[in-house]
Amino acid sequence: MMLYPNSPEAAKRLLTFLNASPTPFHAVHNAGVRLESAGFHRLREVDNWANIIKPGGSYYFVRNQAALVAFTLPPQWKHGAGLSIVATHVDSPNLRVRPISKKSKAGYLQVGVETYGGGIWHSWLDRDLSLAGRVIISDSAGNFTSKLVKIERPLLRIPTLAIHLDRNVNDTLKFNQETEFVPILGLIASNLNKSKTESPASEERASSVQKNHHPELLALLAGELSVAPEEIHDFELALYDTQPSVLGGLDNEFVFSPRLDNLFSSFCAVDALSSFASSANVATLEGNVNCIALFNHEEIGSVSMSGAESNLIPSLLSRLSPTPESTAESIARSFLISCDMGHAIHPNYTSKHEENHAPLINGGVIIKTNAKQRYTSDAVSTFMVKQLIQKKGGKVQEYEVRNDMSCGSTVGPHLSTIGMRTVDIGMGMLSMHSIRETGGSHDVQHAIDLFTSFFEGFANLDQKLTA
């Protein structure tokens, strides 16, 4: 791995996180590892927390391996305390393996996939792809476990058609996402003499997936997990680009990587809270509970048990402030920073930005505003974030979409309906939703600085504001 001796340390830590997190499951797992190294204790939602959590403690919980909430309680914590929340998401547009993926055509073994989110799908063509996700396996005692898997080597490819067979490809690149976007896994001929791993007995069971996928694929997964193919009972697998995340540009000012939207923000939230919980400042903290929430399924609307429209935050509020009165007090004292990546101005497409709202990569935190409330920022929440950025000597940029273009959204609008003050921010990037995106290596620390300032000083700032 490249060492990047003169590059920001935070950006190098981000690369490690990105390369280890090809799926939301891996991102949540790696976030948990980082939190536990900082002294956080894992909670279970099925348990009664009343006799577990204590003032001054640091905790986190995971839902469905795909969403994570972590929080630190101030030493003088009591019911009704507000929450200072940084909310992000860990999913990105990609390709998911279908429940029945076995396909073959013209001598090739293929894998059926479904598109997830609004990807720039042509960027997935001619890439060295592999598989990662979670697999349900059984053991000899009849127990079942959901294990993470990440196949490190290139395994799949979606080849383009040669220009000799499509002379107009450079004028109009169009392809059918169902019939012309199917990855190839291998050649049928090269697998004819390999021993088959399908078990006739297991094929009759309702829980068996042996008939649904190529036996060669199941054997590969089994080898990665050190189990027999028939011990695989189900899986959720996504394709990912095996080219690693790197720093680039003349001065390594860029981050070239998949999944910057929105693992960039998620990493910064985890890093900031972990570092703050390990610092001396946490012992003197007063006021709000500091919290991060890493949601799943933002790219497809957030409507799921692990998405922002679930009860993850309302459940946390009610557990920490269990009476209706204390819950209402907590909401009124709370503040949420919704952090999702933002659109930096593109030098080849400058007309796509409103002329006075053209953020730059490495230009600092972008405050996102939209009169139609696709972003939640208002004068009060914007003012407070600017104050927090100023305390760390940071820079602020503004983004608002053109009137003749539609506006994206984030986890912020729904979470604001809980009743807490909310602001939408991001860091500048190019090629959002491409398989390879471009961000800023210095913006990593910019985001961490804001979140740290938020955790250190929001409650004190809030006391000085009348609104």
Side-chain angles (χ1 to χ4, degrees):
M1 178 180 175
M2 296 182 183
L3 298 178
Y4 308 113
N6 298 317
S7 300
E9 290 299 319
K12 290 187 275 187
R13 296 197 303 274
L14 171 64
L15 294 183
T16 300
F17 182 77
L18 289 166
N19 286 322
S21 305
T23 72
F25 310 122
H26 290 81
V28 165
H29 170 78
N30 292 324
V33 171
R34 175 72 174 92
L35 289 164
E36 290 191 11
S37 72
F40 282 72
H41 302 281
R42 182 167 180 172
L43 302 171
R44 299 194 312 159
E45 287 192 274
V46 297
D47 293 335
N48 185 336
W49 294 1
N51 297 320
I52 300 175
I53 61 175
K54 306 292 182 184
S58 300
Y59 307 94
Y60 80 100
F61 64 95
V62 169
R63 180 177 290 182
N64 197 30
Q65 295 181 278
L68 178 147
V69 176
F71 57 95
T72 60
L73 300 178
Q76 304 303 318
W77 168 72
K78 58 183 180 180
H79 294 167
L83 273 61
S84 298
I85 307 171
V86 176
T88 72
H89 67 90
V90 291
D91 62 315
S92 302
N94 65 10
L95 303 178
R96 304 289 176 93
V97 175
R98 290 189 182 276
I100 302 176
S101 71
K102 185 190 294 184
K103 288 177 175 284
S104 59
K105 196 170 187 179
Y108 293 96
L109 297 174
Q110 293 183 286
V111 175
V113 295
E114 180 183 9
T115 58
Y116 173 91
I120 302 177
W121 299 124
H122 69 75
S123 68
W124 286 71
L125 301 174
D126 294 328
R127 303 295 305 185
D128 297 340
L129 306 173
S130 196
L131 293 170
R134 63 177 176 178
V135 182
I136 310 298
I137 60 173
S138 61
D139 60 24
S140 57
N143 299 312
F144 300 90
T145 307
S146 177
K147 287 288 189 75
L148 299 187
V149 65
K150 177 175 182 261
I151 299 174
E152 300 283 353
R153 68 180 181 87
L155 186 65
L156 298 149
R157 198 169 180 90
I158 309 174
T160 51
L161 186 63
I163 193 170
H164 312 79
L165 304 177
D166 184 7
R167 293 291 184 181
N168 297 320
V169 66
N170 289 324
D171 299 322
T172 55
L173 173 59
K174 293 183 179 181
F175 55 91
N176 186 294
Q177 293 177 19
E178 178 63 26
T179 61
E180 298 170 332
F181 200 51
V182 186
I184 58 173
L185 176 66
L187 291 169
I188 293 176
S190 65
N191 288 276
L192 288 177
N193 296 322
K194 290 186 178 179
S195 60
K196 299 300 180 184
T197 57
E198 293 175 295
S199 168
S202 65
E203 287 181 15
E204 302 301 319
R205 298 177 182 176
S207 64
S208 172
V209 296
Q210 305 301 311
K211 294 189 298 184
N212 297 343
H213 309 283
H214 287 299
E216 296 83 1
L217 176 59
L218 292 173
L220 182 65
L221 291 171
E224 289 285 328
L225 296 166
S226 300
V227 299
E230 57 269 21
E231 293 175 312
I232 294 175
H233 294 271
D234 214 332
F235 54 67
E236 289 177 72
L237 295 177
L239 278 64
Y240 78 95
D241 184 9
T242 59
Q243 183 178 349
S245 304
V246 296
L247 301 185
L250 281 174
D251 297 311
N252 287 330
E253 62 263 55
F254 299 124
V255 182
F256 300 145
S257 172
R259 303 179 299 280
L260 289 180
D261 175 22
N262 192 30
L263 291 188
F264 188 117
S265 306
S266 298
F267 165 79
C268 293
V270 173
D271 195 81
L273 188 64
S274 299
S275 298
F276 179 72
S278 305
S279 70
N281 292 337
V282 74
T284 59
L285 182 68
E286 296 181 2
N288 279 14
V289 174
N290 287 325
C291 175
I292 61 171
L294 279 53
F295 293 104
N296 194 19
H297 295 141
E298 189 273 346
E299 297 293 356
I300 55 171
S302 295
V303 184
S304 72
M305 67 179 294
S306 55
E309 293 204 26
S310 71
N311 72 333
L312 272 166
I313 296 301
S315 174
L316 178 64
L317 284 162
S318 63
R319 281 181 182 263
L320 297 183
S321 298
T323 67
E325 182 65 27
S326 62
T327 299
E329 292 173 7
S330 178
I331 292 171
R333 295 184 176 114
S334 295
F335 192 96
L336 185 141
I337 295 177
S338 166
C339 187
D340 206 345
M341 296 300 280
H343 299 294
I345 191 166
H346 194 305
N348 299 334
Y349 302 93
T350 56
S351 64
K352 296 297 183 181
H353 277 69
E354 201 282 327
E355 60 183 351
N356 292 321
H357 299 82
L360 302 172
I361 286 178
N362 288 327
V365 175
I366 301 169
I367 296 177
K368 305 177 182 179
T369 306
N370 181 254
K372 302 175 183 65
Q373 284 295 286
R374 298 289 288 171
Y375 302 134
T376 57
S377 309
D378 60 22
V380 171
S381 61
T382 295
F383 162 78
M384 299 192 83
V385 164
K386 287 180 178 178
Q387 289 290 306
L388 294 168
I389 294 170
Q390 185 173 293
K391 285 187 176 182
K392 294 291 185 180
K395 297 179 290 184
V396 174
Q397 305 185 91
E398 302 275 359
Y399 177 77
E400 192 170 60
V401 75
R402 290 168 55 101
N403 285 322
D404 55 1
M405 295 177 65
S406 60
C407 182
S409 193
T410 68
V411 299
H414 176 76
L415 293 171
S416 70
T417 65
I418 296 171
M420 62 182 64
R421 294 161 290 176
T422 308
V423 66
D424 267 293
I425 69 158
M427 312 308 293
M429 67 175 292
L430 300 174
S431 305
M432 188 180 291
H433 289 194
S434 171
I435 198 171
R436 300 289 294 184
E437 300 167 325
T438 299
S441 60
H442 296 280
D443 276 336
V444 185
Q445 191 62 53
H446 294 156
I448 293 171
D449 285 346
L450 166 58
F451 300 155
T452 302
S453 181
F454 182 49
F455 297 145
E456 289 175 347
F458 169 76
N460 182 59
L461 175 62
D462 196 28
Q463 291 177 357
K464 299 178 180 179
L465 175 67
T466 301

Short mmCIF file of all heavy atoms in Angstrom, two decimals, residues 316-363:
data_model
loop_
_atom_site.label_atom_id
_atom_site.label_comp_id
_atom_site.label_asym_id
_atom_site.label_seq_id
_atom_site.Cartn_x
_atom_site.Cartn_y
_atom_site.Cartn_z
N LEU A 316 -34.05 5.36 20.44
CA LEU A 316 -32.98 5.83 21.31
C LEU A 316 -33.50 6.95 22.22
O LEU A 316 -33.21 6.96 23.43
CB LEU A 316 -31.81 6.33 20.47
CG LEU A 316 -30.63 6.91 21.26
CD1 LEU A 316 -29.98 5.83 22.13
CD2 LEU A 316 -29.60 7.53 20.31
N LEU A 317 -34.26 7.87 21.67
CA LEU A 317 -34.81 8.96 22.48
C LEU A 317 -35.65 8.43 23.63
O LEU A 317 -35.52 8.89 24.78
CB LEU A 317 -35.67 9.88 21.59
CG LEU A 317 -34.93 10.84 20.67
CD1 LEU A 317 -35.86 11.36 19.58
CD2 LEU A 317 -34.36 12.01 21.47
N SER A 318 -36.50 7.46 23.34
CA SER A 318 -37.38 6.95 24.39
C SER A 318 -36.64 6.11 25.42
O SER A 318 -37.02 6.08 26.59
CB SER A 318 -38.52 6.13 23.77
OG SER A 318 -38.03 4.99 23.10
N ARG A 319 -35.58 5.44 25.02
CA ARG A 319 -34.79 4.66 25.98
C ARG A 319 -34.02 5.58 26.93
O ARG A 319 -33.88 5.29 28.12
CB ARG A 319 -33.83 3.74 25.24
CG ARG A 319 -34.45 2.45 24.69
CD ARG A 319 -33.38 1.63 24.01
NE ARG A 319 -33.86 0.41 23.41
CZ ARG A 319 -33.82 -0.80 23.97
NH1 ARG A 319 -33.36 -0.93 25.19
NH2 ARG A 319 -34.26 -1.86 23.33
N LEU A 320 -33.49 6.69 26.38
CA LEU A 320 -32.70 7.59 27.21
C LEU A 320 -33.58 8.54 28.02
O LEU A 320 -33.15 9.05 29.06
CB LEU A 320 -31.74 8.41 26.33
CG LEU A 320 -30.68 7.61 25.57
CD1 LEU A 320 -29.76 8.55 24.79
CD2 LEU A 320 -29.86 6.74 26.51
N SER A 321 -34.79 8.79 27.54
CA SER A 321 -35.75 9.65 28.25
C SER A 321 -37.10 8.96 28.20
O SER A 321 -37.93 9.22 27.31
CB SER A 321 -35.80 11.03 27.59
OG SER A 321 -34.55 11.69 27.66
N PRO A 322 -37.36 8.04 29.14
CA PRO A 322 -38.46 7.09 28.98
C PRO A 322 -39.87 7.60 29.24
O PRO A 322 -40.83 6.88 28.95
CB PRO A 322 -38.10 5.98 29.99
CG PRO A 322 -37.21 6.63 30.99
CD PRO A 322 -36.48 7.70 30.26
N THR A 323 -40.05 8.80 29.76
CA THR A 323 -41.40 9.31 29.94
C THR A 323 -41.75 10.26 28.81
O THR A 323 -40.86 10.87 28.20
CB THR A 323 -41.53 10.06 31.27
OG1 THR A 323 -40.74 11.26 31.23
CG2 THR A 323 -41.06 9.18 32.44
N PRO A 324 -43.04 10.41 28.50
CA PRO A 324 -43.42 11.36 27.43
C PRO A 324 -42.88 12.76 27.66
O PRO A 324 -42.44 13.43 26.72
CB PRO A 324 -44.95 11.31 27.46
CG PRO A 324 -45.28 9.96 28.02
CD PRO A 324 -44.20 9.67 29.01
N GLU A 325 -42.89 13.21 28.91
CA GLU A 325 -42.41 14.55 29.21
C GLU A 325 -40.91 14.67 28.96
O GLU A 325 -40.44 15.63 28.34
CB GLU A 325 -42.73 14.91 30.66
CG GLU A 325 -42.32 16.32 31.06
CD GLU A 325 -43.09 17.40 30.32
OE1 GLU A 325 -44.24 17.13 29.89
OE2 GLU A 325 -42.55 18.50 30.15
N SER A 326 -40.14 13.71 29.46
CA SER A 326 -38.68 13.79 29.28
C SER A 326 -38.29 13.60 27.82
O SER A 326 -37.31 14.20 27.35
CB SER A 326 -37.97 12.77 30.18
OG SER A 326 -38.35 11.45 29.86
N THR A 327 -39.04 12.78 27.08
CA THR A 327 -38.77 12.63 25.65
C THR A 327 -38.98 13.94 24.91
O THR A 327 -38.18 14.34 24.07
CB THR A 327 -39.66 11.53 25.04
OG1 THR A 327 -39.40 10.28 25.67
CG2 THR A 327 -39.40 11.39 23.54
N ALA A 328 -40.07 14.63 25.24
CA ALA A 328 -40.35 15.93 24.61
C ALA A 328 -39.26 16.94 24.94
O ALA A 328 -38.83 17.71 24.07
CB ALA A 328 -41.71 16.44 25.07
N GLU A 329 -38.79 16.93 26.19
CA GLU A 329 -37.70 17.84 26.57
C GLU A 329 -36.43 17.51 25.78
O GLU A 329 -35.72 18.42 25.31
CB GLU A 329 -37.42 17.70 28.07
CG GLU A 329 -38.53 18.22 28.96
CD GLU A 329 -38.27 17.91 30.43
OE1 GLU A 329 -37.16 17.42 30.74
OE2 GLU A 329 -39.17 18.15 31.26
N SER A 330 -36.15 16.22 25.63
CA SER A 330 -34.96 15.80 24.91
C SER A 330 -35.00 16.26 23.46
O SER A 330 -34.01 16.78 22.93
CB SER A 330 -34.80 14.28 24.99
OG SER A 330 -33.68 13.85 24.26
N ILE A 331 -36.14 16.08 22.81
CA ILE A 331 -36.27 16.49 21.41
C ILE A 331 -36.05 17.99 21.26
O ILE A 331 -35.36 18.46 20.34
CB ILE A 331 -37.64 16.07 20.85
CG1 ILE A 331 -37.73 14.53 20.75
CG2 ILE A 331 -37.91 16.71 19.50
CD1 ILE A 331 -39.12 14.02 20.42
N ALA A 332 -36.61 18.76 22.18
CA ALA A 332 -36.49 20.21 22.11
C ALA A 332 -35.05 20.67 22.31
O ALA A 332 -34.65 21.74 21.80
CB ALA A 332 -37.39 20.86 23.16
N ARG A 333 -34.25 19.89 23.02
CA ARG A 333 -32.85 20.25 23.27
C ARG A 333 -31.90 19.67 22.22
O ARG A 333 -30.70 19.91 22.27
CB ARG A 333 -32.44 19.76 24.65
CG ARG A 333 -33.16 20.43 25.81
CD ARG A 333 -32.62 19.97 27.15
NE ARG A 333 -33.25 20.68 28.25
CZ ARG A 333 -34.05 20.13 29.16
NH1 ARG A 333 -34.28 18.82 29.12
NH2 ARG A 333 -34.58 20.86 30.13
N SER A 334 -32.42 18.89 21.30
CA SER A 334 -31.58 18.14 20.37
C SER A 334 -31.27 18.94 19.10
O SER A 334 -31.96 19.90 18.76
CB SER A 334 -32.25 16.82 19.99
OG SER A 334 -32.37 15.97 21.12
N PHE A 335 -30.23 18.49 18.42
CA PHE A 335 -29.81 19.10 17.14
C PHE A 335 -29.19 18.00 16.30
O PHE A 335 -28.40 17.19 16.81
CB PHE A 335 -28.80 20.21 17.39
CG PHE A 335 -28.52 21.08 16.20
CD1 PHE A 335 -29.19 22.27 16.02
CD2 PHE A 335 -27.58 20.70 15.25
CE1 PHE A 335 -28.93 23.09 14.92
CE2 PHE A 335 -27.32 21.49 14.15
CZ PHE A 335 -27.99 22.70 13.98
N LEU A 336 -29.54 17.98 15.02
CA LEU A 336 -29.05 16.93 14.13
C LEU A 336 -28.34 17.53 12.93
O LEU A 336 -28.87 18.42 12.26
CB LEU A 336 -30.21 16.04 13.67
CG LEU A 336 -29.84 14.82 12.82
CD1 LEU A 336 -30.70 13.61 13.21
CD2 LEU A 336 -30.02 15.11 11.32
N ILE A 337 -27.13 17.06 12.69
CA ILE A 337 -26.38 17.40 11.47
C ILE A 337 -26.51 16.22 10.51
O ILE A 337 -26.02 15.13 10.77
CB ILE A 337 -24.90 17.65 11.77
CG1 ILE A 337 -24.72 18.89 12.66
CG2 ILE A 337 -24.11 17.84 10.47
CD1 ILE A 337 -23.27 19.17 13.04
N SER A 338 -27.21 16.45 9.43
CA SER A 338 -27.33 15.46 8.36
C SER A 338 -26.17 15.70 7.39
O SER A 338 -26.11 16.74 6.73
CB SER A 338 -28.67 15.60 7.64
OG SER A 338 -28.68 14.88 6.43
N CYS A 339 -25.25 14.74 7.34
CA CYS A 339 -24.05 14.92 6.51
C CYS A 339 -24.04 13.92 5.36
O CYS A 339 -23.96 12.71 5.58
CB CYS A 339 -22.78 14.77 7.36
SG CYS A 339 -21.27 15.18 6.44
N ASP A 340 -24.14 14.45 4.17
CA ASP A 340 -24.09 13.64 2.95
C ASP A 340 -23.23 14.41 1.95
O ASP A 340 -23.19 15.65 1.98
CB ASP A 340 -25.50 13.43 2.40
CG ASP A 340 -25.63 12.17 1.57
OD1 ASP A 340 -24.58 11.61 1.16
OD2 ASP A 340 -26.76 11.74 1.31
N MET A 341 -22.56 13.72 1.08
CA MET A 341 -21.62 14.39 0.18
C MET A 341 -22.33 15.40 -0.72
O MET A 341 -23.51 15.24 -1.05
CB MET A 341 -20.88 13.35 -0.65
CG MET A 341 -20.01 12.42 0.18
SD MET A 341 -18.72 13.27 1.12
CE MET A 341 -17.49 13.55 -0.16
N GLY A 342 -21.59 16.45 -1.11
CA GLY A 342 -22.16 17.53 -1.90
C GLY A 342 -21.52 17.65 -3.27
O GLY A 342 -20.43 17.11 -3.52
N HIS A 343 -22.18 18.38 -4.14
CA HIS A 343 -21.72 18.52 -5.52
C HIS A 343 -20.74 19.68 -5.66
O HIS A 343 -21.14 20.85 -5.64
CB HIS A 343 -22.90 18.73 -6.47
CG HIS A 343 -23.88 17.61 -6.47
ND1 HIS A 343 -23.56 16.36 -6.94
CD2 HIS A 343 -25.18 17.53 -6.04
CE1 HIS A 343 -24.61 15.56 -6.82
NE2 HIS A 343 -25.59 16.25 -6.28
N ALA A 344 -19.46 19.37 -5.80
CA ALA A 344 -18.48 20.40 -6.13
C ALA A 344 -18.65 20.80 -7.59
O ALA A 344 -19.11 20.01 -8.43
CB ALA A 344 -17.06 19.88 -5.90
N ILE A 345 -18.29 22.03 -7.91
CA ILE A 345 -18.42 22.47 -9.30
C ILE A 345 -17.46 21.68 -10.19
O ILE A 345 -16.33 21.38 -9.81
CB ILE A 345 -18.17 23.99 -9.42
CG1 ILE A 345 -18.57 24.47 -10.82
CG2 ILE A 345 -16.73 24.36 -9.06
CD1 ILE A 345 -18.70 25.96 -10.94
N HIS A 346 -17.94 21.31 -11.35
CA HIS A 346 -17.19 20.50 -12.32
C HIS A 346 -16.61 21.42 -13.39
O HIS A 346 -17.36 22.19 -14.01
CB HIS A 346 -18.14 19.47 -12.94
CG HIS A 346 -17.47 18.37 -13.70
ND1 HIS A 346 -16.58 18.59 -14.73
CD2 HIS A 346 -17.57 17.01 -13.57
CE1 HIS A 346 -16.16 17.43 -15.21
NE2 HIS A 346 -16.75 16.45 -14.52
N PRO A 347 -15.30 21.40 -13.63
CA PRO A 347 -14.71 22.36 -14.58
C PRO A 347 -15.23 22.21 -16.00
O PRO A 347 -15.18 23.17 -16.79
CB PRO A 347 -13.21 22.05 -14.50
CG PRO A 347 -13.12 20.65 -14.00
CD PRO A 347 -14.28 20.49 -13.06
N ASN A 348 -15.73 21.04 -16.35
CA ASN A 348 -16.23 20.83 -17.70
C ASN A 348 -17.73 21.08 -17.82
O ASN A 348 -18.27 21.06 -18.92
CB ASN A 348 -15.94 19.40 -18.16
CG ASN A 348 -14.46 19.10 -18.20
OD1 ASN A 348 -13.64 20.01 -18.35
ND2 ASN A 348 -14.09 17.84 -18.07
N TYR A 349 -18.40 21.30 -16.69
CA TYR A 349 -19.86 21.50 -16.69
C TYR A 349 -20.24 22.59 -15.70
O TYR A 349 -21.11 22.43 -14.85
CB TYR A 349 -20.57 20.20 -16.32
CG TYR A 349 -20.26 19.04 -17.23
CD1 TYR A 349 -19.23 18.15 -16.93
CD2 TYR A 349 -21.00 18.81 -18.39
CE1 TYR A 349 -18.94 17.07 -17.76
CE2 TYR A 349 -20.72 17.74 -19.23
CZ TYR A 349 -19.69 16.88 -18.91
OH TYR A 349 -19.41 15.82 -19.73
N THR A 350 -19.59 23.74 -15.79
CA THR A 350 -19.83 24.81 -14.81
C THR A 350 -21.26 25.33 -14.84
O THR A 350 -21.75 25.86 -13.85
CB THR A 350 -18.87 25.99 -15.05
OG1 THR A 350 -19.00 26.44 -16.41
CG2 THR A 350 -17.43 25.57 -14.80
N SER A 351 -21.95 25.17 -15.97
CA SER A 351 -23.32 25.68 -16.09
C SER A 351 -24.31 24.88 -15.24
O SER A 351 -25.47 25.30 -15.09
CB SER A 351 -23.77 25.66 -17.55
OG SER A 351 -23.82 24.33 -18.04
N LYS A 352 -23.89 23.76 -14.69
CA LYS A 352 -24.78 22.94 -13.88
C LYS A 352 -24.95 23.48 -12.46
O LYS A 352 -25.77 22.97 -11.69
CB LYS A 352 -24.27 21.50 -13.82
CG LYS A 352 -24.26 20.79 -15.17
CD LYS A 352 -25.66 20.65 -15.74
CE LYS A 352 -25.66 19.87 -17.06
NZ LYS A 352 -27.01 19.74 -17.62
N HIS A 353 -24.17 24.49 -12.09
CA HIS A 353 -24.29 25.09 -10.77
C HIS A 353 -24.87 26.50 -10.87
O HIS A 353 -24.60 27.23 -11.85
CB HIS A 353 -22.92 25.18 -10.08
CG HIS A 353 -22.50 23.91 -9.41
ND1 HIS A 353 -22.17 22.78 -10.11
CD2 HIS A 353 -22.36 23.60 -8.09
CE1 HIS A 353 -21.83 21.82 -9.26
NE2 HIS A 353 -21.94 22.29 -8.02
N GLU A 354 -25.63 26.90 -9.88
CA GLU A 354 -26.04 28.30 -9.74
C GLU A 354 -24.77 29.10 -9.50
O GLU A 354 -23.92 28.70 -8.70
CB GLU A 354 -27.02 28.43 -8.57
CG GLU A 354 -27.90 29.68 -8.62
CD GLU A 354 -27.16 30.94 -8.17
OE1 GLU A 354 -26.28 30.83 -7.29
OE2 GLU A 354 -27.47 32.02 -8.70
N GLU A 355 -24.61 30.21 -10.17
CA GLU A 355 -23.32 30.89 -10.25
C GLU A 355 -22.76 31.33 -8.89
O GLU A 355 -21.54 31.43 -8.72
CB GLU A 355 -23.41 32.10 -11.18
CG GLU A 355 -24.41 33.15 -10.75
CD GLU A 355 -24.50 34.30 -11.76
OE1 GLU A 355 -23.67 34.33 -12.67
OE2 GLU A 355 -25.41 35.15 -11.62
N ASN A 356 -23.61 31.58 -7.93
CA ASN A 356 -23.14 32.01 -6.61
C ASN A 356 -23.06 30.86 -5.60
O ASN A 356 -22.74 31.09 -4.44
CB ASN A 356 -24.04 33.11 -6.05
CG ASN A 356 -23.92 34.40 -6.84
OD1 ASN A 356 -22.82 34.78 -7.26
ND2 ASN A 356 -25.04 35.08 -7.07
N HIS A 357 -23.38 29.68 -6.05
CA HIS A 357 -23.38 28.51 -5.16
C HIS A 357 -22.61 27.39 -5.85
O HIS A 357 -23.19 26.43 -6.35
CB HIS A 357 -24.80 28.08 -4.82
CG HIS A 357 -25.59 29.14 -4.11
ND1 HIS A 357 -26.20 30.17 -4.77
CD2 HIS A 357 -25.82 29.34 -2.78
CE1 HIS A 357 -26.81 30.96 -3.89
NE2 HIS A 357 -26.59 30.48 -2.67
N ALA A 358 -21.29 27.54 -5.89
CA ALA A 358 -20.43 26.63 -6.63
C ALA A 358 -19.29 26.14 -5.74
O ALA A 358 -18.16 26.63 -5.82
CB ALA A 358 -19.88 27.32 -7.87
N PRO A 359 -19.55 25.18 -4.85
CA PRO A 359 -18.53 24.73 -3.90
C PRO A 359 -17.35 24.05 -4.58
O PRO A 359 -17.45 23.54 -5.71
CB PRO A 359 -19.29 23.72 -3.02
CG PRO A 359 -20.73 23.97 -3.29
CD PRO A 359 -20.83 24.50 -4.67
N LEU A 360 -16.22 24.07 -3.87
CA LEU A 360 -14.99 23.47 -4.37
C LEU A 360 -14.58 22.28 -3.52
O LEU A 360 -14.86 22.22 -2.32
CB LEU A 360 -13.85 24.51 -4.33
CG LEU A 360 -14.06 25.80 -5.11
CD1 LEU A 360 -12.92 26.78 -4.78
CD2 LEU A 360 -14.13 25.53 -6.60
N ILE A 361 -13.91 21.32 -4.14
CA ILE A 361 -13.27 20.25 -3.39
C ILE A 361 -12.18 20.86 -2.51
O ILE A 361 -11.43 21.74 -2.93
CB ILE A 361 -12.67 19.20 -4.36
CG1 ILE A 361 -13.79 18.35 -4.97
CG2 ILE A 361 -11.65 18.32 -3.67
CD1 ILE A 361 -13.31 17.33 -5.98
N ASN A 362 -12.10 20.40 -1.28
CA ASN A 362 -11.16 20.90 -0.27
C ASN A 362 -11.44 22.34 0.13
O ASN A 362 -10.59 23.00 0.74
CB ASN A 362 -9.70 20.76 -0.72
CG ASN A 362 -9.23 19.31 -0.72
OD1 ASN A 362 -9.67 18.52 0.12
ND2 ASN A 362 -8.35 18.96 -1.64
N GLY A 363 -12.64 22.82 -0.19
CA GLY A 363 -13.00 24.19 0.15
C GLY A 363 -13.70 24.32 1.49
O GLY A 363 -14.14 25.41 1.85
#
